[in-house]
Amino acid sequence: MKLPKLKIGSLIAETPIVLGGMGIGVSGSKLAAAVANQGGIGVISGVNIGYNEPDFTTNHLQANIRALKKEIRKAKQNSLRGIIGVNFMVAMNKYKEHVKAAVEEGIDIIISGAGLPIELPELVKNTKTKIAPIISSAKAANLITKLWDKKYNTIPDAIVLEGIEAGGHLGFKKKSIEDNNFNLKETLIEIIKTIKPFEEKYNRKVPIIVGGGIFTGADIAEYLEAGASAVQMSTRFVATEECDASKEFKEMYVNAKKEDVEIIISPVGMPGRAVNNEFLNKIKKGIKPKIEKCSNCLKSCNYNEAPYCISQALINSVKGNVKNGLVFAGSNVYKIDKIQTVKQIFKELITESEKLYKEK
Ligand SMILES: Cc1cc2nc3c(=O)[nH]c(=O)nc-3n(C[C@H](O)[C@H](O)[C@H](O)COP(=O)(O)O)c2cc1C
């Protein structure tokens, strides 16, 4: 059966697939436009997006804002009827300035996690930009919705539930990841129940977008049938011609084996999932790469205590210096064995999920 469209207020995506924002620079305008052109929502990562600007180290904020606006414009020009979003980590310094710049560029949706985006409604007030917090539990979904209801008389336009199998920083304690007692489907069902009274109060649906380990058309059908309105996928879209990362970064994905996927504790203090490489082996041995310049990009990172600069490590890898960089990836990265186009992946996913999907 045909998959339902994803409706977030006035935004209607033909296909219920959202590209998960990937920093630094992995989901830029090229990948976002490609996903939007296939009917999904293309999401640009907004964290340290100015890494290619000549004044990135000397004029950090301005370089980031300039690049952010440029990337949004490019993505929109290259996907004229598509929906483009941006992902901002709440843990970013100058979060508000970034959000305001994206809104000025007419971004369709802001998706925001790595902390609770408490003030986000205020920052998009009286604009058409939709807002979606990223959470990993029903408790957090309830907390942010209750807060927005009370403080701003509004509720999220959508909620992204990110599970334990995702790539990048994870919203779980290391112990919970090791114990693996988290169940994505049960959490989804719990969230749907938690949000219901708010949906009734505001007389509108809050679509739940589920991510973290979604890889096949069967996964998509399974979560839509369980009540999700869409899926969020990242890892699957990295090994594509359109992905904004270097070919070396993509090759790490193609070559990764199951045993290469690791949980690390990032300098930000949060666990994250990455592909093991020379860089991580050096860190494990206590070798500390020289921090060239701290631009104070993340609130929770302390220059004096950090084992390495996460920003520098991510920039190295996205640019191709993977031996000296951090390669974030979701748990299913080892299933990738070739570079495809976004169009091919969409075709595979839609064909398979439509064969299996039955509306409840
Ligand atoms: C390389 C990479 C970078 C990521 N960077 C971010 C980020 O900057 N902000 C964020 O909220 N999530 C980030 N994520 C998480 C994704 O947005 C997404 O929710 C998650 O990876 C989905 O799971 P999947 O990769 O198994 O599809 C990143 C994931 C990857 C693989």
Side-chain angles (χ1 to χ4, degrees), residues 113-139:
L116 285 181
I118 293 170
E119 295 170 19
L120 195 48
E122 182 65 31
L123 303 175
V124 301
K125 205 170 150 187
N126 300 326
T127 73
K128 66 175 186 55
T129 301
K130 302 283 181 279
I131 48 176
I134 306 174
I135 46 80
S136 294
S137 67
K139 198 173 149 200

mmCIF file with all atom_site columns, all heavy atoms in Angstrom, residues 113-139:
data_model
loop_
_atom_site.group_PDB
_atom_site.id
_atom_site.type_symbol
_atom_site.label_atom_id
_atom_site.label_alt_id
_atom_site.label_comp_id
_atom_site.label_asym_id
_atom_site.label_entity_id
_atom_site.label_seq_id
_atom_site.pdbx_PDB_ins_code
_atom_site.Cartn_x
_atom_site.Cartn_y
_atom_site.Cartn_z
_atom_site.occupancy
_atom_site.B_iso_or_equiv
_atom_site.pdbx_formal_charge
_atom_site.auth_seq_id
_atom_site.auth_comp_id
_atom_site.auth_asym_id
_atom_site.auth_atom_id
_atom_site.pdbx_PDB_model_num
ATOM 1   N N   . GLY A 1 113 ? 18.101 19.133 18.852 1.00 0.00 ? 113 GLY A N   1
ATOM 2   C CA  . GLY A 1 113 ? 18.309 18.216 19.969 1.00 0.00 ? 113 GLY A CA  1
ATOM 3   C C   . GLY A 1 113 ? 19.617 18.505 20.679 1.00 0.00 ? 113 GLY A C   1
ATOM 4   O O   . GLY A 1 113 ? 20.127 19.622 20.614 1.00 0.00 ? 113 GLY A O   1
ATOM 5   N N   . ALA A 1 114 ? 20.185 17.470 21.311 1.00 0.00 ? 114 ALA A N   1
ATOM 6   C CA  . ALA A 1 114 ? 21.391 17.620 22.149 1.00 0.00 ? 114 ALA A CA  1
ATOM 7   C C   . ALA A 1 114 ? 21.131 18.684 23.212 1.00 0.00 ? 114 ALA A C   1
ATOM 8   O O   . ALA A 1 114 ? 21.871 19.657 23.357 1.00 0.00 ? 114 ALA A O   1
ATOM 9   C CB  . ALA A 1 114 ? 22.625 17.944 21.315 1.00 0.00 ? 114 ALA A CB  1
ATOM 10  N N   . GLY A 1 115 ? 20.058 18.470 23.933 1.00 0.00 ? 115 GLY A N   1
ATOM 11  C CA  . GLY A 1 115 ? 19.555 19.432 24.915 1.00 0.00 ? 115 GLY A CA  1
ATOM 12  C C   . GLY A 1 115 ? 18.108 19.729 24.554 1.00 0.00 ? 115 GLY A C   1
ATOM 13  O O   . GLY A 1 115 ? 17.672 19.412 23.436 1.00 0.00 ? 115 GLY A O   1
ATOM 14  N N   . LEU A 1 116 ? 17.372 20.310 25.477 1.00 0.00 ? 116 LEU A N   1
ATOM 15  C CA  . LEU A 1 116 ? 15.964 20.616 25.182 1.00 0.00 ? 116 LEU A CA  1
ATOM 16  C C   . LEU A 1 116 ? 15.860 22.047 24.636 1.00 0.00 ? 116 LEU A C   1
ATOM 17  O O   . LEU A 1 116 ? 16.303 22.996 25.285 1.00 0.00 ? 116 LEU A O   1
ATOM 18  C CB  . LEU A 1 116 ? 15.104 20.467 26.432 1.00 0.00 ? 116 LEU A CB  1
ATOM 19  C CG  . LEU A 1 116 ? 14.795 19.044 26.892 1.00 0.00 ? 116 LEU A CG  1
ATOM 20  C CD1 . LEU A 1 116 ? 13.911 19.060 28.134 1.00 0.00 ? 116 LEU A CD1 1
ATOM 21  C CD2 . LEU A 1 116 ? 14.132 18.205 25.807 1.00 0.00 ? 116 LEU A CD2 1
ATOM 22  N N   . PRO A 1 117 ? 15.284 22.218 23.449 1.00 0.00 ? 117 PRO A N   1
ATOM 23  C CA  . PRO A 1 117 ? 15.201 23.561 22.835 1.00 0.00 ? 117 PRO A CA  1
ATOM 24  C C   . PRO A 1 117 ? 14.088 24.403 23.460 1.00 0.00 ? 117 PRO A C   1
ATOM 25  O O   . PRO A 1 117 ? 13.089 24.729 22.815 1.00 0.00 ? 117 PRO A O   1
ATOM 26  C CB  . PRO A 1 117 ? 14.926 23.248 21.364 1.00 0.00 ? 117 PRO A CB  1
ATOM 27  C CG  . PRO A 1 117 ? 14.225 21.930 21.380 1.00 0.00 ? 117 PRO A CG  1
ATOM 28  C CD  . PRO A 1 117 ? 14.705 21.173 22.580 1.00 0.00 ? 117 PRO A CD  1
ATOM 29  N N   . ILE A 1 118 ? 14.297 24.769 24.713 1.00 0.00 ? 118 ILE A N   1
ATOM 30  C CA  . ILE A 1 118 ? 13.232 25.397 25.497 1.00 0.00 ? 118 ILE A CA  1
ATOM 31  C C   . ILE A 1 118 ? 12.726 26.697 24.859 1.00 0.00 ? 118 ILE A C   1
ATOM 32  O O   . ILE A 1 118 ? 11.530 26.939 24.789 1.00 0.00 ? 118 ILE A O   1
ATOM 33  C CB  . ILE A 1 118 ? 13.728 25.640 26.950 1.00 0.00 ? 118 ILE A CB  1
ATOM 34  C CG1 . ILE A 1 118 ? 13.944 24.270 27.610 1.00 0.00 ? 118 ILE A CG1 1
ATOM 35  C CG2 . ILE A 1 118 ? 12.725 26.478 27.770 1.00 0.00 ? 118 ILE A CG2 1
ATOM 36  C CD1 . ILE A 1 118 ? 14.644 24.300 28.937 1.00 0.00 ? 118 ILE A CD1 1
ATOM 37  N N   . GLU A 1 119 ? 13.643 27.522 24.350 1.00 0.00 ? 119 GLU A N   1
ATOM 38  C CA  . GLU A 1 119 ? 13.222 28.849 23.859 1.00 0.00 ? 119 GLU A CA  1
ATOM 39  C C   . GLU A 1 119 ? 12.880 28.890 22.374 1.00 0.00 ? 119 GLU A C   1
ATOM 40  O O   . GLU A 1 119 ? 12.619 29.966 21.825 1.00 0.00 ? 119 GLU A O   1
ATOM 41  C CB  . GLU A 1 119 ? 14.351 29.861 24.130 1.00 0.00 ? 119 GLU A CB  1
ATOM 42  C CG  . GLU A 1 119 ? 14.600 30.079 25.596 1.00 0.00 ? 119 GLU A CG  1
ATOM 43  C CD  . GLU A 1 119 ? 15.860 30.873 25.850 1.00 0.00 ? 119 GLU A CD  1
ATOM 44  O OE1 . GLU A 1 119 ? 16.356 31.554 24.937 1.00 0.00 ? 119 GLU A OE1 1
ATOM 45  O OE2 . GLU A 1 119 ? 16.358 30.806 26.969 1.00 0.00 ? 119 GLU A OE2 1
ATOM 46  N N   . LEU A 1 120 ? 12.894 27.750 21.728 1.00 0.00 ? 120 LEU A N   1
ATOM 47  C CA  . LEU A 1 120 ? 12.706 27.740 20.273 1.00 0.00 ? 120 LEU A CA  1
ATOM 48  C C   . LEU A 1 120 ? 11.401 28.408 19.795 1.00 0.00 ? 120 LEU A C   1
ATOM 49  O O   . LEU A 1 120 ? 11.428 29.164 18.813 1.00 0.00 ? 120 LEU A O   1
ATOM 50  C CB  . LEU A 1 120 ? 12.843 26.293 19.768 1.00 0.00 ? 120 LEU A CB  1
ATOM 51  C CG  . LEU A 1 120 ? 13.044 26.053 18.277 1.00 0.00 ? 120 LEU A CG  1
ATOM 52  C CD1 . LEU A 1 120 ? 14.129 26.933 17.677 1.00 0.00 ? 120 LEU A CD1 1
ATOM 53  C CD2 . LEU A 1 120 ? 13.355 24.581 18.012 1.00 0.00 ? 120 LEU A CD2 1
ATOM 54  N N   . PRO A 1 121 ? 10.248 28.190 20.480 1.00 0.00 ? 121 PRO A N   1
ATOM 55  C CA  . PRO A 1 121 ? 9.017  28.816 19.985 1.00 0.00 ? 121 PRO A CA  1
ATOM 56  C C   . PRO A 1 121 ? 9.124  30.341 19.891 1.00 0.00 ? 121 PRO A C   1
ATOM 57  O O   . PRO A 1 121 ? 8.627  30.951 18.937 1.00 0.00 ? 121 PRO A O   1
ATOM 58  C CB  . PRO A 1 121 ? 7.964  28.414 21.034 1.00 0.00 ? 121 PRO A CB  1
ATOM 59  C CG  . PRO A 1 121 ? 8.497  27.175 21.653 1.00 0.00 ? 121 PRO A CG  1
ATOM 60  C CD  . PRO A 1 121 ? 9.992  27.325 21.659 1.00 0.00 ? 121 PRO A CD  1
ATOM 61  N N   . GLU A 1 122 ? 9.812  30.928 20.866 1.00 0.00 ? 122 GLU A N   1
ATOM 62  C CA  . GLU A 1 122 ? 9.968  32.386 20.890 1.00 0.00 ? 122 GLU A CA  1
ATOM 63  C C   . GLU A 1 122 ? 10.766 32.857 19.666 1.00 0.00 ? 122 GLU A C   1
ATOM 64  O O   . GLU A 1 122 ? 10.493 33.905 19.077 1.00 0.00 ? 122 GLU A O   1
ATOM 65  C CB  . GLU A 1 122 ? 10.740 32.747 22.188 1.00 0.00 ? 122 GLU A CB  1
ATOM 66  C CG  . GLU A 1 122 ? 10.964 34.214 22.438 1.00 0.00 ? 122 GLU A CG  1
ATOM 67  C CD  . GLU A 1 122 ? 9.670  34.963 22.673 1.00 0.00 ? 122 GLU A CD  1
ATOM 68  O OE1 . GLU A 1 122 ? 8.733  34.342 23.208 1.00 0.00 ? 122 GLU A OE1 1
ATOM 69  O OE2 . GLU A 1 122 ? 9.614  36.152 22.295 1.00 0.00 ? 122 GLU A OE2 1
ATOM 70  N N   . LEU A 1 123 ? 11.742 32.045 19.258 1.00 0.00 ? 123 LEU A N   1
ATOM 71  C CA  . LEU A 1 123 ? 12.650 32.445 18.176 1.00 0.00 ? 123 LEU A CA  1
ATOM 72  C C   . LEU A 1 123 ? 12.020 32.334 16.784 1.00 0.00 ? 123 LEU A C   1
ATOM 73  O O   . LEU A 1 123 ? 12.542 32.905 15.833 1.00 0.00 ? 123 LEU A O   1
ATOM 74  C CB  . LEU A 1 123 ? 13.940 31.603 18.225 1.00 0.00 ? 123 LEU A CB  1
ATOM 75  C CG  . LEU A 1 123 ? 14.718 31.646 19.541 1.00 0.00 ? 123 LEU A CG  1
ATOM 76  C CD1 . LEU A 1 123 ? 15.895 30.684 19.521 1.00 0.00 ? 123 LEU A CD1 1
ATOM 77  C CD2 . LEU A 1 123 ? 15.213 33.060 19.827 1.00 0.00 ? 123 LEU A CD2 1
ATOM 78  N N   . VAL A 1 124 ? 10.929 31.580 16.673 1.00 0.00 ? 124 VAL A N   1
ATOM 79  C CA  . VAL A 1 124 ? 10.293 31.440 15.352 1.00 0.00 ? 124 VAL A CA  1
ATOM 80  C C   . VAL A 1 124 ? 8.897  32.089 15.326 1.00 0.00 ? 124 VAL A C   1
ATOM 81  O O   . VAL A 1 124 ? 8.168  31.961 14.343 1.00 0.00 ? 124 VAL A O   1
ATOM 82  C CB  . VAL A 1 124 ? 10.166 29.951 14.918 1.00 0.00 ? 124 VAL A CB  1
ATOM 83  C CG1 . VAL A 1 124 ? 11.523 29.285 14.848 1.00 0.00 ? 124 VAL A CG1 1
ATOM 84  C CG2 . VAL A 1 124 ? 9.236  29.177 15.845 1.00 0.00 ? 124 VAL A CG2 1
ATOM 85  N N   . LYS A 1 125 ? 8.581  32.777 16.410 1.00 0.00 ? 125 LYS A N   1
ATOM 86  C CA  . LYS A 1 125 ? 7.241  33.383 16.565 1.00 0.00 ? 125 LYS A CA  1
ATOM 87  C C   . LYS A 1 125 ? 6.869  34.238 15.340 1.00 0.00 ? 125 LYS A C   1
ATOM 88  O O   . LYS A 1 125 ? 7.720  34.955 14.806 1.00 0.00 ? 125 LYS A O   1
ATOM 89  C CB  . LYS A 1 125 ? 7.288  34.270 17.808 1.00 0.00 ? 125 LYS A CB  1
ATOM 90  C CG  . LYS A 1 125 ? 5.959  34.489 18.458 1.00 0.00 ? 125 LYS A CG  1
ATOM 91  C CD  . LYS A 1 125 ? 6.182  35.165 19.772 1.00 0.00 ? 125 LYS A CD  1
ATOM 92  C CE  . LYS A 1 125 ? 5.006  36.025 20.125 1.00 0.00 ? 125 LYS A CE  1
ATOM 93  N NZ  . LYS A 1 125 ? 5.307  36.808 21.316 1.00 0.00 ? 125 LYS A NZ  1
ATOM 94  N N   . ASN A 1 126 ? 5.635  34.127 14.907 1.00 0.00 ? 126 ASN A N   1
ATOM 95  C CA  . ASN A 1 126 ? 5.109  34.892 13.766 1.00 0.00 ? 126 ASN A CA  1
ATOM 96  C C   . ASN A 1 126 ? 5.846  34.615 12.455 1.00 0.00 ? 126 ASN A C   1
ATOM 97  O O   . ASN A 1 126 ? 5.940  35.488 11.589 1.00 0.00 ? 126 ASN A O   1
ATOM 98  C CB  . ASN A 1 126 ? 5.133  36.407 14.034 1.00 0.00 ? 126 ASN A CB  1
ATOM 99  C CG  . ASN A 1 126 ? 4.294  36.759 15.235 1.00 0.00 ? 126 ASN A CG  1
ATOM 100 O OD1 . ASN A 1 126 ? 3.276  36.114 15.485 1.00 0.00 ? 126 ASN A OD1 1
ATOM 101 N ND2 . ASN A 1 126 ? 4.712  37.758 15.995 1.00 0.00 ? 126 ASN A ND2 1
ATOM 102 N N   . THR A 1 127 ? 6.427  33.430 12.318 1.00 0.00 ? 127 THR A N   1
ATOM 103 C CA  . THR A 1 127 ? 7.039  33.048 11.040 1.00 0.00 ? 127 THR A CA  1
ATOM 104 C C   . THR A 1 127 ? 6.416  31.729 10.616 1.00 0.00 ? 127 THR A C   1
ATOM 105 O O   . THR A 1 127 ? 5.712  31.084 11.394 1.00 0.00 ? 127 THR A O   1
ATOM 106 C CB  . THR A 1 127 ? 8.574  32.836 11.160 1.00 0.00 ? 127 THR A CB  1
ATOM 107 O OG1 . THR A 1 127 ? 8.813  31.616 11.865 1.00 0.00 ? 127 THR A OG1 1
ATOM 108 C CG2 . THR A 1 127 ? 9.250  33.991 11.877 1.00 0.00 ? 127 THR A CG2 1
ATOM 109 N N   . LYS A 1 128 ? 6.726  31.312 9.371  1.00 0.00 ? 128 LYS A N   1
ATOM 110 C CA  . LYS A 1 128 ? 6.132  30.050 8.896  1.00 0.00 ? 128 LYS A CA  1
ATOM 111 C C   . LYS A 1 128 ? 7.014  28.831 9.256  1.00 0.00 ? 128 LYS A C   1
ATOM 112 O O   . LYS A 1 128 ? 6.673  27.693 8.970  1.00 0.00 ? 128 LYS A O   1
ATOM 113 C CB  . LYS A 1 128 ? 5.898  30.113 7.390  1.00 0.00 ? 128 LYS A CB  1
ATOM 114 C CG  . LYS A 1 128 ? 7.186  30.180 6.583  1.00 0.00 ? 128 LYS A CG  1
ATOM 115 C CD  . LYS A 1 128 ? 6.899  30.112 5.102  1.00 0.00 ? 128 LYS A CD  1
ATOM 116 C CE  . LYS A 1 128 ? 8.150  30.019 4.253  1.00 0.00 ? 128 LYS A CE  1
ATOM 117 N NZ  . LYS A 1 128 ? 9.094  28.964 4.527  1.00 0.00 ? 128 LYS A NZ  1
ATOM 118 N N   . THR A 1 129 ? 8.141  29.096 9.914  1.00 0.00 ? 129 THR A N   1
ATOM 119 C CA  . THR A 1 129 ? 9.079  27.998 10.235 1.00 0.00 ? 129 THR A CA  1
ATOM 120 C C   . THR A 1 129 ? 8.487  27.056 11.288 1.00 0.00 ? 129 THR A C   1
ATOM 121 O O   . THR A 1 129 ? 8.049  27.498 12.346 1.00 0.00 ? 129 THR A O   1
ATOM 122 C CB  . THR A 1 129 ? 10.415 28.583 10.738 1.00 0.00 ? 129 THR A CB  1
ATOM 123 O OG1 . THR A 1 129 ? 10.941 29.420 9.712  1.00 0.00 ? 129 THR A OG1 1
ATOM 124 C CG2 . THR A 1 129 ? 11.417 27.490 11.070 1.00 0.00 ? 129 THR A CG2 1
ATOM 125 N N   . LYS A 1 130 ? 8.504  25.774 10.971 1.00 0.00 ? 130 LYS A N   1
ATOM 126 C CA  . LYS A 1 130 ? 7.996  24.768 11.914 1.00 0.00 ? 130 LYS A CA  1
ATOM 127 C C   . LYS A 1 130 ? 9.144  24.325 12.827 1.00 0.00 ? 130 LYS A C   1
ATOM 128 O O   . LYS A 1 130 ? 10.315 24.428 12.452 1.00 0.00 ? 130 LYS A O   1
ATOM 129 C CB  . LYS A 1 130 ? 7.469  23.549 11.153 1.00 0.00 ? 130 LYS A CB  1
ATOM 130 C CG  . LYS A 1 130 ? 6.377  23.885 10.156 1.00 0.00 ? 130 LYS A CG  1
ATOM 131 C CD  . LYS A 1 130 ? 5.058  24.117 10.862 1.00 0.00 ? 130 LYS A CD  1
ATOM 132 C CE  . LYS A 1 130 ? 3.932  24.439 9.907  1.00 0.00 ? 130 LYS A CE  1
ATOM 133 N NZ  . LYS A 1 130 ? 3.915  25.842 9.485  1.00 0.00 ? 130 LYS A NZ  1
ATOM 134 N N   . ILE A 1 131 ? 8.792  23.821 14.019 1.00 0.00 ? 131 ILE A N   1
ATOM 135 C CA  . ILE A 1 131 ? 9.832  23.422 14.965 1.00 0.00 ? 131 ILE A CA  1
ATOM 136 C C   . ILE A 1 131 ? 9.577  22.009 15.526 1.00 0.00 ? 131 ILE A C   1
ATOM 137 O O   . ILE A 1 131 ? 8.448  21.649 15.838 1.00 0.00 ? 131 ILE A O   1
ATOM 138 C CB  . ILE A 1 131 ? 9.977  24.443 16.126 1.00 0.00 ? 131 ILE A CB  1
ATOM 139 C CG1 . ILE A 1 131 ? 8.625  24.817 16.730 1.00 0.00 ? 131 ILE A CG1 1
ATOM 140 C CG2 . ILE A 1 131 ? 10.718 25.688 15.650 1.00 0.00 ? 131 ILE A CG2 1
ATOM 141 C CD1 . ILE A 1 131 ? 8.735  25.761 17.939 1.00 0.00 ? 131 ILE A CD1 1
ATOM 142 N N   . ALA A 1 132 ? 10.672 21.258 15.631 1.00 0.00 ? 132 ALA A N   1
ATOM 143 C CA  . ALA A 1 132 ? 10.568 19.879 16.125 1.00 0.00 ? 132 ALA A CA  1
ATOM 144 C C   . ALA A 1 132 ? 11.729 19.577 17.061 1.00 0.00 ? 132 ALA A C   1
ATOM 145 O O   . ALA A 1 132 ? 12.887 19.614 16.649 1.00 0.00 ? 132 ALA A O   1
ATOM 146 C CB  . ALA A 1 132 ? 10.589 18.902 14.946 1.00 0.00 ? 132 ALA A CB  1
ATOM 147 N N   . PRO A 1 133 ? 11.440 19.289 18.329 1.00 0.00 ? 133 PRO A N   1
ATOM 148 C CA  . PRO A 1 133 ? 12.521 18.869 19.237 1.00 0.00 ? 133 PRO A CA  1
ATOM 149 C C   . PRO A 1 133 ? 12.912 17.416 18.982 1.00 0.00 ? 133 PRO A C   1
ATOM 150 O O   . PRO A 1 133 ? 12.079 16.623 18.545 1.00 0.00 ? 133 PRO A O   1
ATOM 151 C CB  . PRO A 1 133 ? 11.887 19.021 20.629 1.00 0.00 ? 133 PRO A CB  1
ATOM 152 C CG  . PRO A 1 133 ? 10.421 18.891 20.408 1.00 0.00 ? 133 PRO A CG  1
ATOM 153 C CD  . PRO A 1 133 ? 10.127 19.331 18.999 1.00 0.00 ? 133 PRO A CD  1
ATOM 154 N N   . ILE A 1 134 ? 14.173 17.104 19.268 1.00 0.00 ? 134 ILE A N   1
ATOM 155 C CA  . ILE A 1 134 ? 14.609 15.698 19.205 1.00 0.00 ? 134 ILE A CA  1
ATOM 156 C C   . ILE A 1 134 ? 14.691 15.199 20.644 1.00 0.00 ? 134 ILE A C   1
ATOM 157 O O   . ILE A 1 134 ? 15.359 15.828 21.483 1.00 0.00 ? 134 ILE A O   1
ATOM 158 C CB  . ILE A 1 134 ? 16.013 15.555 18.574 1.00 0.00 ? 134 ILE A CB  1
ATOM 159 C CG1 . ILE A 1 134 ? 16.067 16.237 17.209 1.00 0.00 ? 134 ILE A CG1 1
ATOM 160 C CG2 . ILE A 1 134 ? 16.413 14.076 18.462 1.00 0.00 ? 134 ILE A CG2 1
ATOM 161 C CD1 . ILE A 1 134 ? 17.469 16.247 16.599 1.00 0.00 ? 134 ILE A CD1 1
ATOM 162 N N   . ILE A 1 135 ? 14.038 14.092 20.912 1.00 0.00 ? 135 ILE A N   1
ATOM 163 C CA  . ILE A 1 135 ? 14.065 13.530 22.271 1.00 0.00 ? 135 ILE A CA  1
ATOM 164 C C   . ILE A 1 135 ? 14.314 12.018 22.166 1.00 0.00 ? 135 ILE A C   1
ATOM 165 O O   . ILE A 1 135 ? 14.225 11.449 21.076 1.00 0.00 ? 135 ILE A O   1
ATOM 166 C CB  . ILE A 1 135 ? 12.752 13.831 23.045 1.00 0.00 ? 135 ILE A CB  1
ATOM 167 C CG1 . ILE A 1 135 ? 11.519 13.561 22.184 1.00 0.00 ? 135 ILE A CG1 1
ATOM 168 C CG2 . ILE A 1 135 ? 12.714 15.286 23.477 1.00 0.00 ? 135 ILE A CG2 1
ATOM 169 C CD1 . ILE A 1 135 ? 11.111 12.206 22.081 1.00 0.00 ? 135 ILE A CD1 1
ATOM 170 N N   . SER A 1 136 ? 14.618 11.414 23.319 1.00 0.00 ? 136 SER A N   1
ATOM 171 C CA  . SER A 1 136 ? 14.868 9.967  23.301 1.00 0.00 ? 136 SER A CA  1
ATOM 172 C C   . SER A 1 136 ? 14.014 9.218  24.314 1.00 0.00 ? 136 SER A C   1
ATOM 173 O O   . SER A 1 136 ? 14.245 8.045  24.575 1.00 0.00 ? 136 SER A O   1
ATOM 174 C CB  . SER A 1 136 ? 16.349 9.690  23.580 1.00 0.00 ? 136 SER A CB  1
ATOM 175 O OG  . SER A 1 136 ? 17.124 10.182 22.516 1.00 0.00 ? 136 SER A OG  1
ATOM 176 N N   . SER A 1 137 ? 13.040 9.913  24.928 1.00 0.00 ? 137 SER A N   1
ATOM 177 C CA  . SER A 1 137 ? 12.164 9.235  25.889 1.00 0.00 ? 137 SER A CA  1
ATOM 178 C C   . SER A 1 137 ? 10.814 9.941  25.940 1.00 0.00 ? 137 SER A C   1
ATOM 179 O O   . SER A 1 137 ? 10.704 11.122 25.566 1.00 0.00 ? 137 SER A O   1
ATOM 180 C CB  . SER A 1 137 ? 12.793 9.277  27.289 1.00 0.00 ? 137 SER A CB  1
ATOM 181 O OG  . SER A 1 137 ? 12.823 10.623 27.746 1.00 0.00 ? 137 SER A OG  1
ATOM 182 N N   . ALA A 1 138 ? 9.812  9.211  26.444 1.00 0.00 ? 138 ALA A N   1
ATOM 183 C CA  . ALA A 1 138 ? 8.478  9.801  26.593 1.00 0.00 ? 138 ALA A CA  1
ATOM 184 C C   . ALA A 1 138 ? 8.528  10.915 27.645 1.00 0.00 ? 138 ALA A C   1
ATOM 185 O O   . ALA A 1 138 ? 7.822  11.917 27.542 1.00 0.00 ? 138 ALA A O   1
ATOM 186 C CB  . ALA A 1 138 ? 7.481  8.725  26.994 1.00 0.00 ? 138 ALA A CB  1
ATOM 187 N N   . LYS A 1 139 ? 9.424  10.728 28.640 1.00 0.00 ? 139 LYS A N   1
ATOM 188 C CA  . LYS A 1 139 ? 9.557  11.731 29.704 1.00 0.00 ? 139 LYS A CA  1
ATOM 189 C C   . LYS A 1 139 ? 10.005 13.084 29.107 1.00 0.00 ? 139 LYS A C   1
ATOM 190 O O   . LYS A 1 139 ? 9.438  14.129 29.414 1.00 0.00 ? 139 LYS A O   1
ATOM 191 C CB  . LYS A 1 139 ? 10.591 11.219 30.718 1.00 0.00 ? 139 LYS A CB  1
ATOM 192 C CG  . LYS A 1 139 ? 10.542 11.898 32.035 1.00 0.00 ? 139 LYS A CG  1
ATOM 193 C CD  . LYS A 1 139 ? 11.486 11.194 33.001 1.00 0.00 ? 139 LYS A CD  1
ATOM 194 C CE  . LYS A 1 139 ? 12.019 12.211 33.982 1.00 0.00 ? 139 LYS A CE  1
ATOM 195 N NZ  . LYS A 1 139 ? 13.232 11.778 34.625 1.00 0.00 ? 139 LYS A NZ  1
#
